[in-house]
Each structure stands twice: as C-alpha cells, then as structure tokens.
C-alpha cells in the first residue's frame, strides 16, 4: 500500500513537472480578472517589474486604476487621462464619430480635428463610455439548484431563473448602476459586474487619417508599424458629477482616478500591462477544433473573401468614385481576412497542434493517475467527436455569413423590405405609406455607397460557393438553382440583377406613388425571394442544427476546464475573453518572426518617412508632419534626436483591447494599444510568447501630434505628466525585497 502510494505520488510529480515545463513558455499569457490579481498574478507581476500594489490596480472600495479605464461604446476601450474627463482611445474606435462630423468643407477625417476650447467640442448621440464599479463572484447564487449531471438545457433554464431574480434585486437596490451578469469558464463561474454609463461624450481631437490610419490596409496587422491610431473625447456629467444625457449645462466629468501620462518612454525589457475589454477568445479548444479552424473554417472563409476583395480591389483601383464608396467595406472585410491568414501561419509555425496534443496526452495521463478524474480521461476524445460533427453544418453557416451577410450587399439590403410587404398584405394604408418613406430614406443612404455592377460581380463570384455548399434542407429557390447546374448560375444571377426593381430609375417615385404595388413587385422579385429564403434557412435550419451540438460542447468544455484545474492545481487559469475588464501583462520585447527575420520593439518617425509615398491612398503624409520631422521639432517628446512612434510587447490582447491603456511598472500611461503583429494573431487560440506581440502607439507620439501638429498643447497641460522612468524611480519596498530574496518556484505562480 505504502509503496503503491509512493509510486503514485512520484508519477504525479513527474507529470506535474513535465506539465509546468511545457507551460513555462506561456507563463505570461492570459487576460486576467482584475479582482483576482492579488491572488493569482501579483507576485509574478512584481517579479517582472511591477512597482505598484494590487490594490492600486483594482479595488472595490477605494479609487484605483480601474476607475480610469472605460468601455468605449461596448466594442473598444478608452482611458481617462485628465481630471476633466479627457478620454483617449483609437482613431479607428472613434472613426464613425469623426466621420459623422465630417463634411466636404470640414473634412475631419482627412484634415484632423482639434477643439481649441470646450465650446468647440462635438456632441455624439448614441456614444457611451462605461466605467466599472465592482466585480463580484455570484456563482453560488446563479448555480443554486443545478447539478453536475443535469443536461445543458435544464441547467440553462435554472441559471436563467436565478439570474433574473438576482438582477431584479440588485437593480432595485442600486438604481443608478447598470449590471452585467457574465459567465466564465463555460458556465462554471458567474460574475456580476456593476458599471456606470456616461452618455455625454464629446469629440475633442483627432489627427488626420494620414496619421491616425497611416498605412491603412497594407499595414493593418503588421509590424513594423507607424500609425498614430488615436483620438480624443471628453466625458461630461451633470452638476453633481453624475451621468446625464447631453446638455449644455453638463460639466466635464471628474473621474475618481485618471491616468498619469509618462514621457519617460519605454525600453526593451520594461514591464507593461494592458488594462481593457478584450472581446472574445478560444483558449480551451482541443487541438482538433484548432485544426478545424485553421484547416477548414479559415481557408473557406478566406476563399470567399478573396473573391470579394479581388472584385473590389480591381474596381477601386480603376475608379475613384468606387474607391471612395467602398473604402470602409473593404477595410471591414479585409480585417478578419488578413487575421485568419495570419492565424493559419502562426499555428503552423509554432507547431501549436503538436504542443496541444502533447498537453492533451498529459491531461489524459493525469486523469488516469488521479482517481477522481478517472471518469474524464476520454473527455478530449468526446469533445473531438462533437466538434467534428459540427464541421459540415458550420461550413454551411459560414457560407451564408460570408456570401449572404458580408458579401452581396443587395441581399442584405432587400431584407429590409419585408415589413413593407407585410403591411401591404395587411392593407394598412397609412402605415404602408410611412414604411415606404422610411425605406426610401434607407435606400438613399444605401445607394450613396453602392455600385450595382460591382455587387453583381461579387454575386456571380460568391453565390456559386454558397450553392455548392448548402446540403442541409435547402429551400425551393436554392434547390431549383442547384438542379439547374452550375453552368447556368452566372447567367441566372446576372438576370436577377437586371430584373430587380430597386435599381430602376423610377423605383423611388413608384414606391412613393404606389407602395402596395411596389411591395407586390418586390415580393415577387428574385433577389428578394432568394435572399429571404437564405436568411430564413440560416436561422431556421442551420442555426438550430448547431444549437444542440453547441449545448453539448459547452457542457464538455465546462467539465474540461474543471478537470484541468483539478489535474493541475498549481497552475493559474484565466477565462476566455468575453468583453469584461481584464489585465494582461508582459514586457517590451523584440521578436524573431522567421528564421533570421528579427524585429525591433520600437519604431520612430524616420520609419514613417521611409514609408511615405506622396499622394498615395495609404502612405501620404501631412506637410506639417514632414516639416516637423525635417526640423527635428519634437519638443519634450523626442528621445536622443528621434521621435518614437509605436512599440510592441508580449501582452496577451485581442479585438476589443483597441484603445486600451498600456501602463508601465508605476501604472503610468506609456502606450495606446491598437493592434497585434501578424505573426502572432493566433493568440486567440494559442499564445506563444516568442512571437505574439501587441502593438501600441507610443504616448510620446500621441502628445507630439496633439501639441506640435494639432497645436492643442492646452490638452497636454491638462494631463499629469510623469518624467521619470520606472527604473529610476524604483524604491525597493520591504515585501518586494523579501520576494526578490526568495528563489522563484516554477509553476507556483498563483
Ligand atoms: N487590426 C486592427 C483591429 O482588429 C485595426 C483595424 C482597423 N484598421 C483597419 N485598417 N481596418 O481592430
Ligand atoms: N485591432 C483590434 C481592436 O480593434 C485589436 C486586436 O485585435 O489586437 O480591438
């Protein structure tokens, strides 16, 4: 008995050792929950150089750095950088607001915008900034009444009931706050997040796009990078500093805390942390599903977007009007297209599938060695089977998403007429008339950026892929086309466009004159019928076909995370990103992208100049910037005669982290996160610190542009500027001295 036990302990020990070694590389990865940092990450962060306390990063009761981090309109992050509510985020995050204030005479996108006083700031209806008040674990309350054996659907219904009750209570108790109830680790953990929503957020400044979007799609996802991707807003509140909708009487919001801005700069090896709202990641997928993603889903979606982008690119190069109309559509479609390509390469280059399979084998061994985990030893195989089962339907879903939703614009547009048709059938004249007017407005907005011939080309290039892919219960129109045979498709699709009423000159006049008649015509139109059928097929056939599998997958994934946590109790686990507040930390680090290709961690203004192509659509520059460069007029923002522009570090980030503050060891703002380097964008599934890098604008470049280029130095005066680099401000505190004296134990970071 004793001997057996010893062997058992030894086996576990060896496995743990292998495991901690295999995870050693990725020890710094993770998007951590701020309220757990003290418990899980703090000693690790300190070892890496952090000099402030965990409470200064997050505290539920005292003001902390979290009070300066805002969720910017739900999709991006921003940060407060003055005691007067000044908010910094990316240019690409404030893009639609900047665009909405731009006219041909005052083209802020092109020329930039700088409010020279508070009166000149521009209000933005429908824009909000949310600040997190508290993060609270409510797992026990939410999971009350559920059991491990329950099926997914029953469990979900109990959770939903508990959640509703809890939300009702807290909303009644704290009426000024908004609440999110979020699930973590596939429903193993629930957090209640309270936040304050500020709805008066005004535009203060933006550089010209030739700086804020420098390099456009060519440089997107790329390192070395030279983009000044920032814009400035200001949060306003009522006389009592409470959130309020726009009013002239509102005052700049006085935040509980705002960030100090450092001009002391960054050096290789410096500690950095990124505080923000990452959107979504998939860190606990089995190797098989990562393989499905890079072997099936990505190539398929890329191949459809290849066609769309090819059609767009050809036309945009030849036709300036089309190029203007399609710039933003092109950017939207190419953004993920490029990321998916990078993911495939990154997974390959890091041997991720092999590494993940080894980890799975180890997990299986641990399950064999630990009695209470015996039942989980085939868990990964079960997940593999479910994910494999989902592939064919998912391919059909993606075919719709890429072709029907992102691809053919007319298909998405015509769906909007369903209400008109409904009203016409119901015979409600008055409502029909109003609806027709609403659709005319919509049509006019749509036509502004629409090119019918271009759309037809997209359709004849992509719809065939959809028709070839759909196997699950196709509707009558699709079936008929499929039976016709692929050699007839191009002609048929072209006819659809020729016959469609929407593009005829008298469409608007007729719709206004006789909406009932036009509604009937639309209802019989081929584009409308096909688009509606595809849409309904997606929601009524394809999605339900995955719902059941998804529920089963969720249950297994939840078990997998629980089992991992028990198999490797010394390892800290972080939940997938889900648009909640997180902290990532790492170091400013160069990297080797490929054999003999080494990238430095910093770029400078001379690199901006190297890329400059006068008059170019992507690489043109404002004359003023060139002049500042030639005169080396960098003010206090340059360093050794150079103007720093961007830098990279090993912080684990994803979409949604755009606009996040990058902070140094003292918690001072040194960078503004906006992208990742292409070589490592597979970090959503697999983080490899050797090549995964987040890309930030150097705060000194931001200040230089505001002050020297924009002439809005009064904004810099509003900020608290720190001038001492953390390495010089370092005072070794007693507890830190103690922890530095202790030997570092691997695998015990938590
Ligand atoms: N790649 C960055 C992100 O995913 C920036 C996107 C905006 N820029 C662009 N050229 N599309 O959001
Ligand atoms: N560019 C992304 C964003 O807008 C950030 C990223 O994916 O790294 O959130």
């Amino acid at each position: 008995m004793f001997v057996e036990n010893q062997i058992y302990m030894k086996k576990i020990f060896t496995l743990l050792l292998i495991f901690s070694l295999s995870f050693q590389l990725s020890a710094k990865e993770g998007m951590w929950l701020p309220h757990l940092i003290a418990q899980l990450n703090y000693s690790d962060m300190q070892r890496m150089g952090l000099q402030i306390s965990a409470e200064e990063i997050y505290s539920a009761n005292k003001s902390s750095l979290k009070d300066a981090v805002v969720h910017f309109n739900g999709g991006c992050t921003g940060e407060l950088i003055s005691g007067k509510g000044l908010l910094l985020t990316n240019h690409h995050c404030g893009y639609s607001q900047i665009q909405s204030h731009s006219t041909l005479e005052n083209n802020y996108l092109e020329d930039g915008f700088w409010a020279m006083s508070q009166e000149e700031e521009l209000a933005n209806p429908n824009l909000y900034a949310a600040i997190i008040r508290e993060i609270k674990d409510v797992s026990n309350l939410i999971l009350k009444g559920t059991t491990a054996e329950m099926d997914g659907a029953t469990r979900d219904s109990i959770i939903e009931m508990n959640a509703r009750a809890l939300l009702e209570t807290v909303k009644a108790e704290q009426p000024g706050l908004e609440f999110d109830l979020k699930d973590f680790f596939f429903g193993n953990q629930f957090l209640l997040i309270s936040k304050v929503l500020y709805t008066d957020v005004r535009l203060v400044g933006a550089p010209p796009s030739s700086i804020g979007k420098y390099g456009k799609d060519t440089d997107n996802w790329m390192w070395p990078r030279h983009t000044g991707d920032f814009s400035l807003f200001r949060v306003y509140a009522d006389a009592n500093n409470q959130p309020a909708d726009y009013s002239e009487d509102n005052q700049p919001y006085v935040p509980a805390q705002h960030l100090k801005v450092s001009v002391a700069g960054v050096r290789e090896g410096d500690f950095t942390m990124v505080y923000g709202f990452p959107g979504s990641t998939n860190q606990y997928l089995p190797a098989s599903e990562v393989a499905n993603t890079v072997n099936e889903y990505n190539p398929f979606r890329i191949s459809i977007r290849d066609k769309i982008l090819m059609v767009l690119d050809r036309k945009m190069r030849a036709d300036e009007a089309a190029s203007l109309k399609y710039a933003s559509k092109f950017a939207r479609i190419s953004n993920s297209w490029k990321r998916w390509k990078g993911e495939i390469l990154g997974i390959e280059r890091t041997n991720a599938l092999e590494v993940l399979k080894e980890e799975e084998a180890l997990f299986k061994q641990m399950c064999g060695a630990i009695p209470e985990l015996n039942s989980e030893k085939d868990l990964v195989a079960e997940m593999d089977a479910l994910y494999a089962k989902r592939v064919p339907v998912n391919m059909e879903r993606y075919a719709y998403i890429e072709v029907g939703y992102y691809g053919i614009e007319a298909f998405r547009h015509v769906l909007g007429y369903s209400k008109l048709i409904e009203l016409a059938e119901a015979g409600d004249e008055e409502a029909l008339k109003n609806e027709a007017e609403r659709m005319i407005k919509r049509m006019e907005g749509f036509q502004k950026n629409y090119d019918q011939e271009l759309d037809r080309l997209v359709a004849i290039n992509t719809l065939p892929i959809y028709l070839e892919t759909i196997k699950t219960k196709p509707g009558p129109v699709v079936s008929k086309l499929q039976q016709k045979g692929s050699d007839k498709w191009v002609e048929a699709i072209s006819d659809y466009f020729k016959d469609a009423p929407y593009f005829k000159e008298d469409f608007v006049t007729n719709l206004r004159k006789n909406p009932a008649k036009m509604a009937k015509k639309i209802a019989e139109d081929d584009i409308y019928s096909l688009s509606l059928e595809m849409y309904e097929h997606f929601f009524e056939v394809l999605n339900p076909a995955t719902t059941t599998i998804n529920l089963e997958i969720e249950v297994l994934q939840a078990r997998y995370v629980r089992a991992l946590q028990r198999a490797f109790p010394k390892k800290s686990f972080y939940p997938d990103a889900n648009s909640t507040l997180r902290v990532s930390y790492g170091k400013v680090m160069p990297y080797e992208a490929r054999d003999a290709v080494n990238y430095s961690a910093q770029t400078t203004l001379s690199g901006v100049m190297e890329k400059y192509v006068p008059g170019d659509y992507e690489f043109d520059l404002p004359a003023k910037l060139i002049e500042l460069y030639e005169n080396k007029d960098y003010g206090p923002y340059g360093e050794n005669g150079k103007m720093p522009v961007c830098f990279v570090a090993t912080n684990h980030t994803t979409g949604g982290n755009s606009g996040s503050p990058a902070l140094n060891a003292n918690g001072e703002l040194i960078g503004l996160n906006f992208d990742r380097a292409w070589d490592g964008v597979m970090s959503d599934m697999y983080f490899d610190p050797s090549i995964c890098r987040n890309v930030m604008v150097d705060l000194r470049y931001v200040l230089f542009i505001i002050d020297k280029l924009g002439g809005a130095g009064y904004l810099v005066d509003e900020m608290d500027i720190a001038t001492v680099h953390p390495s010089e401000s370092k005072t070794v505190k007693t507890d830190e001295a103690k922890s530095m004296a202790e030997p570092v134990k691997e695998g015990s970071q938590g």
Side-chain angles (χ1 to χ4, degrees):
M1 189 60 195
F2 176 67
V3 175
E4 216 182 279
N5 214 356
Q6 241 186 355
I7 294 172
Y8 167 71
M9 288 308 292
K10 204 171 154 196
K11 198 162 146 195
I12 294 229
F13 186 75
T14 321
L15 285 174
L16 273 179
L17 196 74
I18 304 173
F19 187 78
S20 67
L21 286 179
S22 80
F23 272 95
Q24 196 177 339
L25 253 186
S26 44
K28 305 301 175 269
E29 75 177 75
M31 300 168 179
W32 301 94
L33 286 161
H35 71 297
L36 297 179
I37 278 182
Q39 194 185 325
L40 297 180
N41 315 98
Y42 188 62
S43 57
D44 192 26
M45 292 167 91
Q46 260 190 325
R47 258 195 306 272
M48 287 173 64
L50 178 68
Q51 296 189 41
I52 57 175
S53 69
E55 249 211 334
E56 286 172 273
I57 299 173
Y58 176 90
S59 166
N61 320 311
K62 287 192 221 151
S63 95
S64 61
L65 289 174
K66 79 135 177 34
D67 299 321
V69 183
V70 310
H71 209 176
F72 188 79
N73 229 17
C76 276
T77 306
E79 52 274 5
L80 298 165
I81 54 170
S82 90
K84 293 197 240 168
L86 194 60
L87 184 159
L88 178 66
T89 187
N90 289 143
H91 187 268
H92 81 260
C93 293
Y95 196 81
S96 61
Q97 283 76 33
I98 306 168
Q99 184 173 40
S100 75
H101 296 296
S102 294
T103 57
L104 280 177
E105 301 81 65
N106 290 314
N107 195 339
Y108 302 141
L109 275 180
E110 184 148 335
D111 308 326
F113 168 74
W114 305 102
M116 286 305 165
S117 66
Q118 276 172 27
E119 289 70 47
E120 286 180 21
E121 295 170 359
L122 302 171
N124 302 286
N126 307 322
L127 173 63
Y128 70 85
I131 299 176
I132 302 304
R133 179 62 64 80
E134 193 180 358
I135 306 171
K136 231 163 131 178
D137 196 317
V138 290
S139 307
N140 288 341
L141 280 172
I142 297 299
L143 291 171
K144 202 164 154 192
T146 64
T147 65
E149 295 75 38
M150 242 169 214
D151 67 274
T154 317
R155 191 172 183 273
D156 278 1
S157 70
I158 296 179
I159 289 175
E160 211 169 286
M161 211 173 65
N162 289 342
R164 211 174 305 136
L166 175 67
L167 285 172
E168 246 166 56
T169 318
V170 291
K171 275 180 188 159
E173 280 169 7
Q174 291 161 289
L177 298 179
E178 302 274 327
F179 294 88
D180 286 334
L181 181 68
K182 288 277 194 172
D183 113 61
F184 296 77
F185 294 121
F186 309 94
N188 279 323
Q189 195 185 357
F190 289 85
L191 299 181
L192 181 68
I193 299 163
S194 53
K195 57 188 185 185
V196 189
L197 234 58
Y198 296 85
T199 48
D200 184 356
V201 182
R202 305 181 194 172
L203 179 64
V204 174
S209 292
S210 52
I211 291 172
K213 221 172 149 47
Y214 188 58
K216 299 232 170 86
D217 294 301
T218 298
D219 264 16
N220 190 25
W221 298 116
M222 294 314 237
W223 184 256
R225 192 64 156 275
H226 298 88
T227 312
D229 195 346
F230 79 92
S231 58
L232 288 164
F233 288 80
R234 194 185 299 281
V235 180
Y236 279 78
D238 69 12
N240 301 316
N241 206 31
Q242 293 307 306
D245 287 341
Y246 175 85
S247 151
E248 268 183 33
D249 302 331
N250 284 350
Q251 299 292 321
Y253 167 62
V254 181
Q257 186 149 146
H258 61 272
L259 300 178
K260 278 204 185 101
V261 178
S262 172
V263 291
V266 289
R267 302 171 191 166
E268 235 176 83
D270 275 0
F271 174 87
T272 59
M273 61 183 170
V274 170
Y275 213 151
F277 293 87
S280 117
T281 57
N282 289 294
Q283 309 289 344
Y284 295 96
L285 294 180
S288 67
E289 177 65 358
V290 176
N292 294 335
T293 306
V294 295
N295 298 333
E296 308 286 339
Y297 301 144
N298 284 6
F300 183 57
R301 302 182 79 174
I302 289 167
S303 72
I304 301 175
R305 290 195 184 196
D306 276 339
K307 305 228 165 183
I308 303 172
L309 293 170
M310 175 200 64
V311 170
L312 258 52
D313 187 64
R314 203 174 285 165
K315 179 94 175 194
M316 285 165 75
R317 278 179 194 280
D319 175 345
E320 206 177 327
S323 147
L324 271 176
K325 285 181 180 176
Y326 279 85
S328 106
K329 181 176 181 187
F330 190 94
R332 187 170 58 245
I333 293 181
S334 74
N335 195 39
S336 298
W337 167 82
K338 201 163 174 183
R339 181 169 48 79
W340 294 328
K341 289 183 162 198
E343 272 179 3
I344 297 173
L345 292 175
I347 293 289
E348 218 168 84
R349 198 170 296 138
T350 53
N351 246 332
L353 296 179
E354 295 313 308
V355 177
L356 290 174
K357 275 185 204 146
E358 273 167 35
E359 285 174 10
E360 285 166 10
L362 196 65
F363 168 74
K364 191 167 174 162
Q365 268 176 287
M366 291 300 287
C367 289
I370 302 171
E372 80 251 33
L373 288 182
N374 279 176
S375 59
E376 304 298 47
K377 67 181 188 312
D378 294 322
L379 195 51
V380 176
E382 279 177 60
M383 287 198 288
D384 292 346
L386 280 179
Y387 278 117
K389 193 166 137 194
R390 199 176 65 169
V391 172
V393 218
N394 250 356
M395 294 296 265
E396 294 188 44
R397 287 183 63 253
Y398 287 136
Y400 177 74
I401 292 170
E402 294 305 328
V403 176
Y405 187 80
Y406 283 106
I408 311 168
E409 290 170 279
F411 276 40
R412 220 168 109 187
H413 175 71
V414 298
L415 288 173
Y417 289 99
S418 56
K419 186 154 180 222
L420 186 87
I421 294 167
E422 235 172 70
L423 290 172
E425 276 162 9
D428 185 340
E429 298 261 328
E430 191 57 30
L432 184 63
K433 233 175 157 170
N434 292 338
E435 178 62 12
E437 285 308 317
R438 195 182 69 89
M439 283 311 291
I440 288 170
K441 252 212 187 107
R442 186 160 173 259
M443 180 68 175
E444 283 163 355
F446 174 74
Q447 286 283 17
K448 222 167 50 194
N449 285 325
Y450 183 69
D451 183 313
Q452 189 202 335
E453 174 55 11
L454 197 56
D455 203 26
R456 184 189 69 87
L457 289 172
V458 169
I460 60 174
N461 277 284
T462 59
L463 196 56
I465 307 179
Y466 176 86
L467 294 172
E468 275 159 9
T469 309
I470 297 302
K471 307 254 158 31
T472 313
K473 298 188 201 144
V477 185
V478 169
S479 290
K480 219 164 109 197
L481 278 167
Q482 286 174 331
Q483 277 154 20
K484 256 191 180 167
S486 58
D487 55 326
K488 302 274 169 19
W489 290 345
V490 169
E491 202 193 325
I493 298 163
S494 292
D495 285 345
Y496 289 176
F497 275 82
K498 221 182 291 153
D499 301 339
Y502 328 94
F503 313 119
K504 303 249 150 74
E505 259 186 42
D506 52 2
F507 177 68
V508 167
T509 326
N510 287 339
L511 185 55
R512 189 163 278 147
K513 228 171 30 202
N514 196 342
K517 193 170 146 207
M518 281 315 274
K520 194 154 172 279
K521 211 166 181 167
I522 294 168
E524 285 159 7
D525 169 56
D526 286 320
I527 290 191
Y528 180 77
S529 318
L530 177 55
S531 173
L532 187 66
E533 182 184 298
M534 286 165 63
Y535 177 82
E536 289 177 348
H537 180 258
F538 179 77
F539 284 104
E540 286 159 24
V541 177
L542 298 180
N543 271 355
T546 49
T547 315
T548 330
I549 311 180
N550 287 344
L551 273 174
E552 288 174 57
I553 288 176
E554 179 97 355
V555 172
L556 293 194
Q557 287 273 195
R559 262 170 59 193
Y560 186 42
V561 173
R562 278 200 302 274
L564 278 171
Q565 286 170 337
R566 283 157 85 181
F568 307 107
K570 290 261 166 83
K571 184 179 150 55
S572 306
F573 291 84
Y574 60 93
D576 272 324
N578 59 354
S579 295
T580 55
L581 186 60
R582 305 293 179 94
V583 172
S584 312
Y585 55 97
K587 286 186 171 187
V588 178
M589 288 274 248
Y591 70 105
E592 183 179 355
R594 297 179 284 288
D595 185 33
V597 178
N598 290 289
Y599 287 123
S600 311
Q602 269 257 303
T603 58
T604 63
L605 197 55
S606 51
V608 176
M609 294 302 301
E610 280 168 12
K611 287 179 177 172
Y612 171 47
V613 181
D616 186 63
Y617 159 72
E618 298 186 296
F619 291 97
D620 199 9
L621 284 171
K624 181 90 183 275
L625 186 70
I626 299 169
E627 186 190 315
L628 290 166
Y629 170 75
E630 279 166 356
N631 298 331
K632 301 262 168 294
D633 186 4
Y634 305 150
Y637 314 113
E639 188 177 13
N640 304 325
K642 292 194 160 186
M643 185 64 237
V645 173
C646 293
F647 65 100
V648 288
T650 59
N651 303 291
H652 192 180
T653 56
T654 189
N657 267 126
S658 274
S660 297
L663 306 166
N664 66 14
N666 290 337
E668 298 153 352
L669 187 65
I670 47 171
L672 177 64
N673 189 76
F674 71 100
D675 211 3
R676 279 169 288 161
W678 203 51
D679 316 271
V681 287
M682 76 302 186
S683 61
D684 287 352
M685 295 180 284
Y686 180 79
F687 186 89
D688 182 332
S690 72
I691 58 168
C692 290
R693 293 293 178 275
N694 66 311
V695 181
M696 294 149 283
V697 197
D698 194 304
L699 240 293
R700 291 170 293 180
Y701 191 53
V702 172
L703 299 187
F704 162 74
I705 297 292
I706 295 174
D707 185 354
K708 291 286 180 176
L709 188 117
Y714 82 97
L715 292 170
V716 179
D717 297 339
E718 234 182 273
M719 305 172 198
D720 292 338
I721 304 287
T723 54
V724 182
H725 187 271
S727 65
E728 278 130 40
S729 66
K730 194 171 170 118
T731 47
V732 179
K733 294 177 200 132
T734 345
D735 55 341
E736 198 185 338
K738 256 197 282 175
S739 84
M740 278 160 70
E742 276 169 24
V744 175
K745 283 186 235 94
E746 200 48 61
S748 65
Q749 297 136 2

